[in-house]
Amino acid sequence: MNAMPLGIRPTVDFAFKKIFGSPQNSASLIGLLNAILDFEHPVVAVEILNPFSYQEFSESKLIVLDVRCRDSAGRWLNVEMQISVYAGLIERLVYYACSMYVDQLYPGSNYALAAPSISICLLNRILFAETDQAHHRFQMLDRESGREITDAIEVHTVELTKYELDAQTIAHASKLQQWAFLLLFAQDYDAETLRKLFPGIEFETAISTMEIISAKTEDKQMYDQREKAQRDYEWAISGAREEGREEGIIVGRIQTLQELLGDTPMTTAELAELHLDALTTQLNALQQRLRDRDA
């Protein structure tokens, strides 16, 4: 008899934060950090600065939950899971990294004591469509000489869906690809199969946490609530994008018709202030004028 799949998506905020933001699960967070950052001297311990708590999820509003920690070398790190890509995402990641850098210091302190600050964003959507590169590492760099300011601020983006992932070959893939597979597809496998695919304490801790969520009534109810809220959020974002595209098409048609009719075309900014219904009404009126003129 085949075991039932876990049915727990690690990309849902409740599961992600419990897996990587619980102090007792630090092995998973350390494993993920080392897979992404690939430091010469790996992370060996972390202090989670905003640990998992049920209170975070007591409200139905969907929020982006991150895991902020300080590692054994004193580096400050922020890791987050993003389910959508929106304007200003990169700027926000830079802001987070800069905030961590500044927050370490107090008035009169020595700037030389500031530890590196690193912002990491895992995405299950495409951010940079023009390239197949899945992992980007942004650092402070002088473009002419190539000289870097190391041990300062870094921003990492990891587009999980860009990796070519296959259960038959994943055991021989890189650690980062293995984490990508687990984050994207863990819900489709039972715990024992996952343990065979991903041996190691860092993966065992994550798999065990997903088992607990799937079996514990309180956790499963909270997970289901958060998964539904996430689906609703994605649906709303998708709808807004579709409406935005529709508005963009109508705006272009209005401006073209105004030119054909000899009117002074309204600017895109002026038309953007109008609701979709008002734009549609205006488009219909212009089309009727054009038909009347050509009759």
Side-chain angles (χ1 to χ4, degrees):
M1 182 176 177
N2 294 330
M4 290 290 291
L6 283 173
I8 301 298
R9 297 179 185 274
T11 54
V12 172
D13 56 5
F14 179 82
F16 185 84
K17 188 65 180 283
K18 186 157 190 174
I19 292 169
F20 298 106
S22 300
Q24 66 269 27
N25 294 348
S26 60
S28 290
L29 180 57
I30 291 169
L32 179 66
L33 290 173
N34 284 328
I36 295 170
L37 300 174
D38 194 26
F39 287 136
E40 181 179 355
H41 302 290
V43 177
V44 296
V46 290
E47 175 192 2
I48 298 174
L49 303 176
N50 60 340
F52 169 86
S53 72
Y54 287 99
Q55 188 175 356
E56 284 182 304
F57 301 94
S58 61
E59 299 180 1
S60 60
K61 180 181 178 182
L62 187 74
I63 55 177
V64 175
L65 288 175
D66 58 345
V67 178
R68 182 174 288 202
C69 64
R70 186 166 49 233
D71 77 352
S72 47
R75 293 174 290 237
W76 290 59
L77 305 108
N78 190 78
V79 187
E80 67 177 64
M81 182 73 228
Q82 269 292 339
I83 60 169
S84 63
V85 173
Y86 53 85
L89 175 60
I90 290 293
E91 289 78 7
R92 185 174 64 75
L93 296 172
V94 173
Y95 174 80
Y96 273 21
C98 292
S99 295
M100 288 190 294
Y101 197 75
V102 172
D103 289 348
Q104 301 173 49
L105 303 174
Y106 54 87
S109 59
N110 187 341
Y111 292 120
L113 298 178
S117 295
I118 303 170
S119 184
I120 300 170
C121 184
L122 303 163
L123 303 108
N124 65 352
R125 295 287 186 272
I126 298 299
L127 179 61
F128 302 112
E130 68 280 4
T131 176
D132 292 332
Q133 181 180 338
H135 177 201
H136 285 79
R137 181 176 195 154
F138 300 99
Q139 296 174 295
M140 299 180 71
L141 172 74
D142 176 61
R143 294 173 62 179
E144 185 170 344
S145 67
R147 187 173 293 109
E148 298 178 14
I149 298 179
T150 57
D151 297 334
I153 293 171
E154 288 186 17
V155 171
H156 292 250
T157 59
V158 183
E159 297 163 271
L160 301 172
T161 57
K162 283 186 175 179
Y163 290 109
E164 294 184 9
L165 305 172
D166 187 313
Q168 304 303 315
T169 59
I170 196 63
H172 306 291
S174 70
K175 287 293 185 183
L176 183 50
Q177 288 173 300
Q178 290 179 346
W179 276 113
F181 189 101
L182 191 71
L183 287 167
L184 292 175
F185 305 120
Q187 67 276 1
D188 300 327
Y189 295 85
D190 63 87
E192 291 311 309
T193 299
L194 289 175
R195 289 188 172 99
K196 291 176 183 177
L197 288 173
F198 306 108
I201 184 60
E202 67 272 32
F203 295 115
E204 168 59 32
T205 304
I207 295 165
S208 295
T209 303
M210 285 185 279
E211 272 190 302
I212 291 171
I213 295 172
S214 66
K216 186 178 177 182
T217 302
E218 180 186 8
D219 281 6
K220 187 60 166 61
Q221 288 177 343
M222 184 65 76
Y223 170 86
D224 289 343
Q225 175 187 324
R226 300 304 298 173
E227 185 179 36
K228 179 182 182 301
Q230 184 165 304
R231 284 199 305 267
D232 291 345
Y233 174 80
E234 291 184 78
W235 178 83
I237 290 295
S238 177
R241 286 174 177 159
E242 287 300 324
E243 184 172 305
R245 279 196 286 267
E246 186 176 351
E247 288 178 348
I249 292 171
I250 292 176
V251 164
R253 288 177 178 172
I254 287 173
Q255 291 170 326
T256 299
L257 287 171
Q258 286 174 331
E259 288 182 358
L260 288 172
L261 291 166
D263 298 346
T264 300
M266 296 176 67
T267 66
T268 301
E270 290 171 335
L271 290 167
E273 294 179 358
L274 301 178
H275 189 272
L276 180 59
D277 291 341
L279 290 171
T280 302
T281 299
Q282 185 162 349
L283 177 62
N284 291 336
L286 289 168
Q287 290 173 332
Q288 185 60 52
R289 282 180 57 194
L290 186 63
R291 285 193 292 267
D292 291 344
R293 189 194 71 176
D294 295 337

